[in-house]
Amino acid sequence: MLWAAWISKRFSTAAAAAPVGDKLAKLKVSELNDIMRRCGIPLGTGKAYKIQSLSAFMQTSQKLAIDRYQAYYKRQPATAAAANSWFVPREIVSIDIGFRNLAFAHISSDGRVLAWKRVELLPEAVFEPWVLATAVEGLVQNTLPVRVASQCTYIIEHQRFRSQGSAAVTNSAMVNNLVEALLYANLRHAGARVEAINPAQVSMHWKFPDTWDPLIEGTSCAAKAASDSSQASNKPDPSKCKHNKKEMLAETIERMDQLLVEQKQTTHTQYMEILNTLKVTGKSKQASRATGARKFADLKQKSVKQLETLRDQRRRLIKKERSISLVQSWMLASLTSTTTRSISALQDPNRHSNEMWPFGDSSMKFTNEMCTTFITEKKKDDLCDCIIQAVAWYRWQLSVVDELNAMTATSHP
């Protein structure tokens, strides 16, 4: 009884709240932001909010780790570190939502891809609740691998009602939100643990161009405009500001077109290497598609609104190509472990980055059948999105364990 009371007090949420909050309060805002980024937590605004959000998140995370430890060993953990290591689930199922193209990846904590598939949930947008409910229920019962909460976590891409700042809400967006809600209901009813994942956080993790890209945004025209505005002694002329903005947008789009050409060439080279490694015959060779590149002089003739639309289109295209290239680099690394081919030049340089990669020096493990299915798949971006968010999420969980260990060591010397 005394031992049980000591354990309960040691790991109680109330007892842990004060030390965790006190430690976080001593950190700078930039340090809090670093922790939140590493753990995949939205930054929010204000130091008080960050401390409160992080403190609550860490307490909830430690409780989850203890629950998973208890479910496996049928007893309380002896130390906080022993419990913290169980925070990372042994398996995850990552779901990229779409009523036409829904993709999921079932991955283990050591990087093995257990299942990877794209399914057509509905042929078109349907608003009848019984149709949607039947389709999602069939998906959960017949297609998705269902595991208990102590073994597996389901991460679902959080849907938005509006896209690219548009005021309109499209039919497809509403159906996707309904599918998301029904997936939550069905999986939780089956005893699974479900978490939402913010696609913007995933893009930030992999440094995709829709969140941050110094090669695109750091143009000489932008730097010149910033220098001119800092040296100006009077209020700038609105017409000149608009002209400078057009030049900046035009130069940005021109640079994005160059990046898109380079990225397509890389993606195509990886594709051909996968074909050769698998010795796949009779498949049509994927040609490097045209990018619709535009010259700077032609771009300057367009309005600011038209240029902003073109810029957003280029960002989506570059992100799509980078996603495919990233997954193909992991696939090539997996194929290397079973062949003698040297393809190190085609592997992604971030694969062994501790900040991005959760599996240490190990590669992800794809089966040859998965690789063959992927290279013949027309909608590669959906398959890529679900597996990219899974890898990012696993990396965040390891960061959470690191923070839990650091805070537990401070709280319980």
Side-chain angles (χ1 to χ4, degrees):
M1 293 297 293
L2 291 175
W3 173 257
W6 179 81
I7 287 290
S8 178
K9 181 179 179 181
R10 183 180 179 92
F11 294 115
S12 66
T13 302
V20 171
D22 291 344
K23 179 180 179 181
L24 293 173
K26 297 177 182 178
L27 301 178
K28 298 178 181 178
V29 172
S30 59
E31 294 173 321
L32 293 172
N33 287 339
D34 288 341
I35 295 175
M36 297 177 85
R37 286 193 191 96
R38 289 197 301 270
C39 298
I41 307 171
L43 299 182
T45 56
K47 183 174 182 179
Y49 169 82
K50 295 177 190 295
I51 293 173
Q52 182 181 6
S53 178
L54 258 178
S55 180
F57 177 80
M58 290 302 171
Q59 293 164 37
T60 303
S61 299
Q62 191 171 55
K63 183 179 183 303
L64 176 60
I66 294 171
D67 290 343
R68 283 180 171 153
Y69 184 99
Q70 291 175 330
Y72 186 81
Y73 288 109
K74 309 301 181 186
R75 58 181 172 82
Q76 289 275 10
T79 64
N84 293 343
S85 63
W86 278 82
F87 174 74
V88 182
R90 287 182 290 175
E91 298 175 6
I92 62 170
V93 177
S94 171
I95 302 173
D96 179 71
I97 288 182
F99 65 90
R100 280 199 185 94
N101 300 296
L102 183 146
F104 72 90
H106 183 196
I107 301 176
S108 65
S109 57
D110 60 356
R112 287 179 296 118
V113 183
L114 307 174
W116 192 24
K117 188 181 296 184
R118 180 182 67 85
V119 297
E120 184 181 82
L121 194 63
L122 295 167
E124 58 184 1
V126 177
F127 295 97
E128 285 77 2
W130 57 89
V131 176
L132 284 171
T134 302
V136 174
E137 184 179 18
L139 174 73
V140 172
Q141 292 181 353
N142 305 322
T143 306
L144 290 180
V146 178
R147 302 288 189 274
V148 296
S150 61
Q151 297 178 353
C152 182
T153 297
Y154 293 77
I155 56 174
I156 300 178
E157 179 194 33
H158 186 50
Q159 300 300 295
R160 296 175 295 179
F161 278 105
R162 292 178 174 85
S163 180
Q164 304 299 327
S166 173
V169 180
T170 62
N171 290 346
S172 60
M174 287 190 286
V175 173
N176 285 340
N177 276 272
L178 290 171
V179 170
E180 180 183 15
L182 288 168
L183 270 173
Y184 269 85
N186 279 269
L187 287 170
R188 285 182 173 177
H189 180 71
R193 177 177 177 82
V194 188
E195 294 185 11
I197 186 167
N198 189 340
Q201 296 294 122
V202 177
S203 294
M204 187 180 299
H205 179 84
W206 299 112
K207 297 181 180 179
F208 285 149
D210 57 339
T211 54
W212 176 81
D213 197 327
L215 294 177
I216 294 175
E217 302 299 343
T219 59
S220 59
C221 184
K224 183 178 183 299
S227 176
D228 292 344
S229 62
S230 64
Q231 295 175 2
S233 57
N234 54 358
K235 187 176 181 179
D237 185 355
S239 62
K240 291 183 179 180
C241 288
K242 186 174 182 180
H243 179 70
N244 288 338
K245 185 173 183 179
K246 286 183 67 173
E247 287 190 355
M248 291 167 62
L249 285 169
E251 186 175 349
T252 297
I253 294 168
E254 189 177 41
R255 175 57 179 155
M256 292 172 96
D257 285 338
Q258 296 172 3
L259 288 174
L260 192 54
V261 170
E262 296 169 3
Q263 189 62 65
K264 282 178 178 289
Q265 290 174 347
T266 301
T267 304
H268 179 66
T269 303
Q270 292 172 329
Y271 170 85
M272 296 302 298
E273 184 66 22
I274 293 172
L275 278 180
N276 294 334
T277 304
L278 293 172
K279 296 181 171 57
V280 177
T281 57
K283 304 295 182 183
S284 58
K285 301 299 183 182
Q286 187 184 51
S288 181
R289 299 180 295 275
T291 62
R294 299 169 182 266
K295 294 183 178 180
F296 182 76
D298 295 334
L299 290 168
K300 286 180 63 178
Q301 303 303 316
K302 295 185 176 296
S303 66
V304 171
K305 186 174 182 179
Q306 289 175 324
L307 290 173
E308 288 176 341
T309 300
L310 283 173
R311 179 199 58 194
D312 293 340
Q313 290 174 348
R314 293 299 187 270
R315 278 179 171 168
R316 290 193 293 272
L317 287 172
I318 293 173
K319 178 184 175 182
K320 178 180 177 180
E321 289 296 324
R322 285 187 178 178
S323 298
I324 295 173
S325 178
L326 193 61
V327 173
Q328 287 185 163
S329 71
W330 300 341
M331 201 172 289
L332 285 167
S334 175
L335 292 171
T336 304
S337 63
T338 57
T339 66
T340 58
R341 302 178 66 87
S342 176
I343 54 174
S344 57
L346 298 175
Q347 295 175 8
D348 186 77
N350 292 325
R351 189 173 67 84
H352 296 295
S353 170
N354 289 332
E355 295 180 355
M356 295 183 177
W357 188 249
F359 307 122
D361 291 333
S362 300
S363 308
M364 293 192 73
K365 301 169 184 65
F366 298 86
T367 65
N368 285 4
E369 182 181 358
M370 289 177 183
C371 296
T372 303
T373 301
F374 177 80
I375 61 174
T376 57
E377 173 65 54
K378 293 182 179 180
K379 290 288 294 179
K380 290 183 174 63
D381 54 320
D382 296 306
L383 287 170
C384 291
D385 287 344
C386 69
I387 207 163
I388 281 174
Q389 74 181 15
V391 175
W393 189 86
Y394 254 137
R395 175 60 261 185
W396 298 338
Q397 306 315 291
L398 294 178
S399 296
V400 173
V401 172
D402 292 339
E403 295 301 326
L404 284 174
N405 287 334
M407 291 180 182
T408 303
T410 303
S411 303
H412 306 290

